[in-house]
Amino acid sequence: MSTGANGATRGVTMSAGTSSRRERLRRATLGEIHAAARKLLVEQGSTAVTINAVARQMGMSGPSLYHYYASHDELVGAVTADFLRELATAMEHARDAHTDAPVGERILAACRAMRAWACTHPAEFGWIFASPITPPNRQPDSARHQAGQRFEQVLLDLTVELWQTRPFPVPDLAGLPASLREQLTAYSATIGGHLPPEAAHVFLSCWARLYGLLCMEVLHQLDFAYSDLEPVFEECLRDLAGVLGL
């Protein structure tokens, strides 16, 4: 009985070890897939990132890659999640480097870190923000959705902290169009009411302006007038600081 029990234990241990090795190999392969997709994106553009092209980069067949991702959309979502996590990490590090600073300074630090990452990773930033989000990547349990929420949370949490400690000026909710009121009320509910609809309106307006300028810079939409957009970005930050009552 004792030998049998030990044999069963060894069997369970070996099975667990085999499963663990298999999982490590799978994670390593996924990392190689993402690296190959990123290389294609940076060197040849987003249209070059296909299942077959990524497989060729790795010395695999296209069908073999489908063992890891069921579709091109799923692959795109997973790679985008990597970029979003990387961007969020850069912003978090900038925020946390100023833990004792007023919340306004931490907001500005996170915004500058976002621009710094975008300008040094233009292909990845364009991939994140200039591509439509396909239905599979809108699902709450998708890697793309969860990474996007982490990214959004960086500035949202700071804005909530600012609102709770030093409320900024907000518009009269009753004076906004009915459709906008409904949308803002719904958004406020999705973030647990931490910002009331009128404060959410200010947050989203600031975000749209910041994001819009950054996209125009990274996608070279303002090259006809500017060769250096850092002063324009800083001017935008000063304006947004005024909006937020900083």
Side-chain angles (χ1 to χ4, degrees), residues 79-242:
V79 174
T80 305
D82 279 352
F83 298 159
L84 280 164
R85 284 190 288 264
E86 195 175 302
L87 173 54
T89 297
M91 295 171 69
E92 289 163 353
H93 284 169
R95 174 201 65 196
D96 296 342
H98 302 79
T99 50
D100 296 328
V103 63
E105 290 185 28
R106 284 178 276 134
I107 289 173
L108 296 177
C111 290
R112 290 182 178 120
M114 180 171 69
R115 178 177 180 270
W117 189 90
C119 290
T120 53
H121 302 86
E124 292 90 332
F125 186 83
W127 172 286
I128 292 172
F129 293 108
S131 303
I133 303 175
T134 56
N137 291 310
R138 293 194 193 104
Q139 300 302 315
D141 61 346
S142 73
R144 165 67 176 81
H145 181 82
Q146 292 175 359
Q149 283 197 313
R150 175 183 167 187
F151 164 65
E152 175 195 356
Q153 210 68 36
V154 179
L155 288 178
L156 177 59
D157 285 347
L158 288 168
T159 306
V160 169
E161 181 183 345
L162 177 63
W163 175 254
Q164 292 174 343
T165 57
R166 185 179 173 181
F168 42 83
V170 294
D172 178 10
L173 190 63
L176 298 176
S179 173
L180 185 54
R181 289 199 306 270
E182 291 172 7
Q183 294 174 80
L184 292 170
T185 300
Y187 176 72
S188 176
T190 67
I191 59 173
H194 295 301
L195 288 177
E198 56 272 32
H201 182 46
V202 174
F203 166 68
L204 293 171
S205 297
C206 289
W207 163 242
R209 182 174 172 187
L210 192 69
Y211 156 69
L213 176 59
L214 196 48
C215 281
M216 292 185 78
E217 177 179 8
V218 173
L219 299 176
H220 302 285
Q221 296 299 309
L222 292 171
D223 286 3
F224 68 91
Y226 298 105
S227 59
D228 176 16
L229 270 161
E230 183 174 1
V232 180
F233 185 81
E234 287 297 320
E235 183 179 42
C236 178
L237 288 184
R238 284 194 295 274
D239 289 347
L240 296 183

Side-chain angles (χ1 to χ4, degrees), residues 2-74:
S2 175
T3 301
N6 288 340
T9 300
R10 283 196 300 273
V12 170
T13 302
M14 289 177 64
S15 175
T18 301
S19 176
S20 178
R21 280 196 303 275
R22 188 180 298 119
E23 184 56 34
R24 286 198 301 272
L25 287 171
R26 180 177 177 82
R27 286 199 300 268
T29 303
L30 290 173
E32 290 180 35
I33 291 171
H34 293 192
R38 188 173 197 162
K39 185 172 188 292
L40 285 167
L41 170 68
V42 171
E43 294 179 355
Q44 301 179 41
S46 59
T47 57
V49 186
T50 65
I51 290 287
N52 287 333
V54 171
R56 281 195 300 271
Q57 283 275 326
M58 299 183 62
M60 296 171 63
S61 67
S64 296
L65 203 61
Y66 282 108
H67 290 299
Y68 298 90
Y69 292 110
S71 67
H72 178 259
D73 282 349
E74 192 176 307

